[in-house]
Amino acid sequence: MPSDSKIKPLSIAISCVLAGSLFQVHAQDAEADAPTADEKAERIQIIGSRIRTDGLDQAAPIEVINASVAASQGISNLGELLRNSTVAAGSNQITAAASTAFVTEGGVGSESISLRGLGANRTLVLLNGRRAGPAGTRGQVASFDPNILPLSAIDRIEILKDGASSLYGSDAVAGVINIITKKGDEGTINFNTSQPLEEGGESYQLNGTYGKTFGRGSFRVVGDYKVQQELAQGQRSFFNCAERYLFDPTTNERVDPVDPRTGSYHCNDLLWGHVWLYDYQGDGGNVPGGAKAQYDYDGNLGNFIPGFATDPNNPDFMVTPPGWFPVAYDRLSDSVTNADHPFQDLETLIPKNELMTVYAQGDYELNDTTSLYGEVLLNRRQTTTNGYRQFWSYKYNEDFFAGDPLSAGWTGAQWLSPTPITDHSGDKITVDYRRFVAGINGDIGNWYYDVAYQNSYSSGDYKSKLIYEDAISPYNFSSGSCVGETTPIRGVPCVDVPWLDPQFLAGNISPEIRDFLFGEQTGNTVYKQQSVEGFISGDLFELPAGFIGTAVGFQFQKDSINDVPGEETLRENTWGQTAAGITAGSHISRAVFTEFQVPLVRDLPGIQALDLTISGRYTDVSSYGGDNTYKAGINWTIVDGVRVRASRGTSFRSPALFELYLNNQTSFVGQRNIDPCINWGQGVDNGTIDPRVATNCATDGIPRDFAGGAISATVTTGGGAGQLEAETSISETLGFVWTPDFENHDISASIDYFNIEIFGEVTNLTAGQILGNCYISDNFSTEPLCTQFDRDPVDLRITNVRGGYLNIANQVNRGVDITLNYATDTKFGRLSATYQHTRQIEAASQLFADSDPIDRTGQFGSPEDVGNLFVGLEYQDWSVNWIARYTGAVSNEQFVSSSPTYRGEAVKLVAAADAVVYHTFSVTKDFADAGLDVTLGVANAFDKEPPKVSAGSSVTRLGTSAFYSQYDWLGRRVFLNMSYNF
């Protein structure tokens, strides 16, 4: 974006347009007053074009968000403001909370924005028209993290809602977000806080900004400090207990098992303190199918369930020390199965984030035609999380196979897998980010040029708690004490772990055992991005309908990543976590582009104006190769206030550095976590397995009662250098804009159809996805994913899974964006209203050419409809605001058995959710004489909880609630914003 220090007529007009809407305006629909005869018409550049024009009637669909409105909505961070836009709200986004619950690109605490749900790597984020480099930790850093820039530095955000790779590069497949920072002569000190009515998730923010124009130059400095307090899982009732949420299909009454120890529905979260049993008795044994051994901690289990049957004449019968009971094998024993440990309530949902930012920018006019400008951004993010986890070993019974004297009291024909729990889990992340920009722009006659250098650097330390691999795996199935031995990797004296001690299993672990089992490590990720880009724009010559505008430019960019995991990861000494090597790589991108804006027709009947915009780009990436992209757009003004716009463009995206060079990560995953064929017969009886999965497991020769292997599967994930191909895509839009001229009423409306199709999309499949998609395929015998893993021919366990990045066949996202704006003066003040709606028609992906396409439209995380309503009333120095955010109904019922059962009883599962509307109300008072304005409001005013769904509903849950970014996790909260202007 150009930086002109002189105030010109069009700048004033644009400022009035942006300020005139309480919430959002559409830059492409705005009109500016024509300059007077003695004024030189100013030309500006907006997102979606490199050509500077004398107006804002552009062919591209653009949404403009004023950052100042965030205070009236209770929003204090850039990521949330962007996620609320309908162009992003229709897909599940990576938030700080999601990064603690799942492994996400960018590491714990990072966030990203994915327009249209096409992925953050396909959404380009610009800062003042220039790239903002990635930030984060671990080997999968590739996208902009909104945490690095506070709202206090931002004036507005422009979102280009269609692809623009021909102008901006390969990462603009889904669209472009351009963040424009504040300018002007003003100073502000601001305090903001948000306080949920329940404890947890509070935020506090203090910032100051000062700008000044002097002579030929100007500058602005921003300092911002923010603390987001932790929200723990136990601090919200809808997350702290994973009830099964089952209903009677006839009466609709709840039929969950009730825990007789509490009188409440049983919580079925992470099992803790059990000994998993691998029974080899055959028919007539005393271990019920699927049973685990649980210790009677409260001394009352015998009041509710039977113990293990005894038969002194049968040496294969399971015999345990006193106090152990079989659980988790039928409805009654389910109700007393321990699966809700106090550690769980302390697990982080939203992490504690501490953000410190300094931002500065300035410009200086060397003369009337040349200006210098620069930017500095310094940011530190510190993120802290707490967790809990299971870990386990494998042991013989005292007298089975080789036997183990440390299993005293456990006899019979069984292997044992004791599964204790620990709160030794969590991360502390520190990411230091800096970005520098230096540039020059100006005029050469009637031509405008801009050349800039950008350098961004992200260095992130990630300190994580771990369990030592060499304290567990070498001693699986041992036949006695290890005292006197040293561990094979650390070389420390071995300690006998009391695997079968009930207190150890419950997480009460002695200091000596903790020191032997547990440790910490710190890794570091550095991502560097440097770029030089420039363009020149002007008029070529005049046609009867006007001047042909053009822009020609270039870009040179170098990216590099160097991720060095912690010492124990590098030497493959972390139990139950990824082992990885150093991920390092770099590539250089070179590009040239050109754009033409051609006025075809003026002032004919039915064609008041018809303009053609075409652009093309050649990009060469050192790690892949080169390709051409183009885009063509039509902007047709039929009559005053009625306009049609359309575009079609192509793109190609070479694989990101981590997609190419991620060092092979080896992890060891429990069979029960990835193999859908374990006890598939019981799943049929209980109605908890998809019939296709059961059929395919049977076809694969897996017995109905297959218990799974005792040894974890080895999963290898790595980059695809030398194998991956570049993605290509096509983006199409067709829109209608209506801006009538009604006296005393400001009205505008637009509707835009979009269609984006990506071919050969690069994606990473987990072990669970590979096996799950194999066994659910309708074409099981030819499904390519079924070749990505191996089974042992003897015991049928999964031995190896080959994951990693690969090109899938394609992904399609198409739908309609609708916007309605209305404003008028009433006797009560200025009334403004804006409604935005996105209807998603298709959001489908296809793994391979012969795989079945999967359309996510209407499912959880991908609602068919999302909408935002903004209403504001301004009267003198007061303003009142109402915001309603709408997420449409969703359903995953197509993935649920038509006749589900629980333990042989017919049940009804909840796998759908009604539409939800979140309401925010606020009032602002401007104390102009004192230079103070105060906003007080309430978000999620009616305290809407996330929708409840059933276990087995194919919906990602936390507790009993659907866990997707469209839903509010904090509950009702009061927010306050105070600003002092000087």
Side-chain angles (χ1 to χ4, degrees), residues 662-968:
L662 182 67
N663 202 318
N664 278 345
Q665 295 181 344
T666 301
S667 59
F668 303 93
V669 181
Q671 303 277 333
R672 54 193 177 222
N673 294 327
I674 63 171
D675 191 347
C677 293
I678 292 177
N679 288 320
W680 64 263
Q682 182 179 338
V684 172
D685 296 339
N686 295 340
T688 58
I689 189 171
D690 189 292
R692 289 176 295 179
V693 174
T695 298
N696 290 335
C697 290
T699 301
D700 208 22
I702 311 298
R704 283 176 53 90
D705 59 351
F706 174 59
I711 305 298
S712 299
T714 301
V715 182
T716 303
T717 302
Q723 299 179 1
L724 289 179
E725 298 179 355
E727 302 173 352
T728 60
S729 68
I730 295 176
S731 175
E732 299 171 324
T733 64
L734 176 63
F736 174 82
V737 180
W738 181 51
T739 54
D741 185 10
F742 292 147
E743 186 176 358
N744 300 323
H745 299 278
D746 295 333
I747 300 175
S748 65
S750 65
I751 180 169
D752 290 279
Y753 168 81
F754 59 87
N755 179 32
I756 302 173
E757 185 167 4
I758 302 173
F759 306 95
E761 180 182 276
V762 177
T763 191
N764 179 32
L765 296 182
T766 66
Q769 288 175 319
I770 290 171
L771 271 83
N773 283 283
C774 164
Y775 283 102
I776 204 170
S777 175
D778 287 329
N779 302 302
F780 175 70
S781 62
T782 58
E783 174 59 54
L785 288 178
C786 296
T787 65
Q788 295 297 112
F789 62 90
D790 304 316
R791 285 190 182 273
D792 186 279
V794 177
D795 63 8
L796 300 180
R797 62 185 170 89
I798 304 295
T799 55
N800 298 286
V801 184
R802 293 171 291 280
Y805 291 93
L806 70 159
N807 293 97
I808 68 172
N810 66 343
Q811 182 173 189
V812 176
N813 189 276
R814 58 190 181 96
V816 177
D817 293 322
I818 301 171
T819 300
L820 305 172
N821 295 299
Y822 176 76
T824 188
D825 290 316
T826 73
K827 62 180 180 180
F828 303 107
R830 180 72 172 176
L831 177 66
S832 303
T834 295
Y835 181 69
Q836 301 170 319
H837 192 101
T838 295
R839 160 60 67 94
Q840 193 164 239
I841 299 173
E842 182 181 8
S845 60
Q846 186 179 10
L847 285 177
F848 298 101
D850 54 355
S851 298
D852 299 324
I854 300 173
D855 189 354
R856 305 181 305 278
T857 307
Q859 298 176 18
F860 281 87
S862 186
E864 190 175 32
D865 294 282
V866 290
N868 293 328
L869 173 65
F870 307 91
V871 179
L873 180 65
E874 296 181 0
Y875 178 72
Q876 295 181 356
D877 51 9
W878 290 87
S879 63
V880 180
N881 309 306
W882 167 42
I883 302 97
R885 303 195 183 279
Y886 171 83
T887 297
V890 289
S891 175
N892 282 26
E893 291 177 340
Q894 64 268 42
F895 302 115
V896 177
S897 170
S898 59
S899 302
T901 60
Y902 167 64
R903 296 298 186 186
E905 300 176 12
V907 295
K908 183 174 72 174
L909 304 183
V910 176
D914 293 334
V916 62
V917 181
Y918 294 106
H919 297 270
T920 297
F921 300 97
S922 67
V923 59
T924 300
K925 168 66 173 170
D926 184 7
F927 301 92
D929 292 341
L932 179 70
D933 65 75
V934 179
T935 298
L936 180 66
V938 57
N940 192 358
F942 300 106
D943 203 21
K944 290 277 190 180
E945 297 182 356
K948 292 184 177 182
V949 289
S950 302
S953 61
S954 297
V955 178
T956 300
R957 303 196 318 163
L958 189 69
T960 313
S961 301
F963 191 66
Y964 297 86
S965 62
Q966 288 92 358
Y967 302 118
D968 183 275

Side-chain angles (χ1 to χ4, degrees), residues 42-58:
E42 182 191 355
R43 295 201 161 197
I44 63 166
Q45 177 201 339
I46 66 168
I47 191 173
S49 176
R50 299 283 191 174
I51 298 173
R52 305 175 84 219
T53 64
D54 56 3
L56 296 178
D57 267 353
Q58 298 295 307

Side-chain angles (χ1 to χ4, degrees), residues 8-10 35-43 52 368-369 443 445-447:
K8 299 179 181 180
L10 189 58
T36 59
D38 59 346
E39 293 172 342
K40 180 181 177 181
E42 182 191 355
R43 295 201 161 197
R52 305 175 84 219
D368 289 341
T369 61
D443 298 312
N446 290 323
W447 292 75

Side-chain angles (χ1 to χ4, degrees), residues 87 313 341 352 436 513 527 630 951:
V87 74
N313 297 318
H341 197 282
K352 180 181 179 180
F436 303 98
I513 301 300
Y527 195 105
Y630 75 87

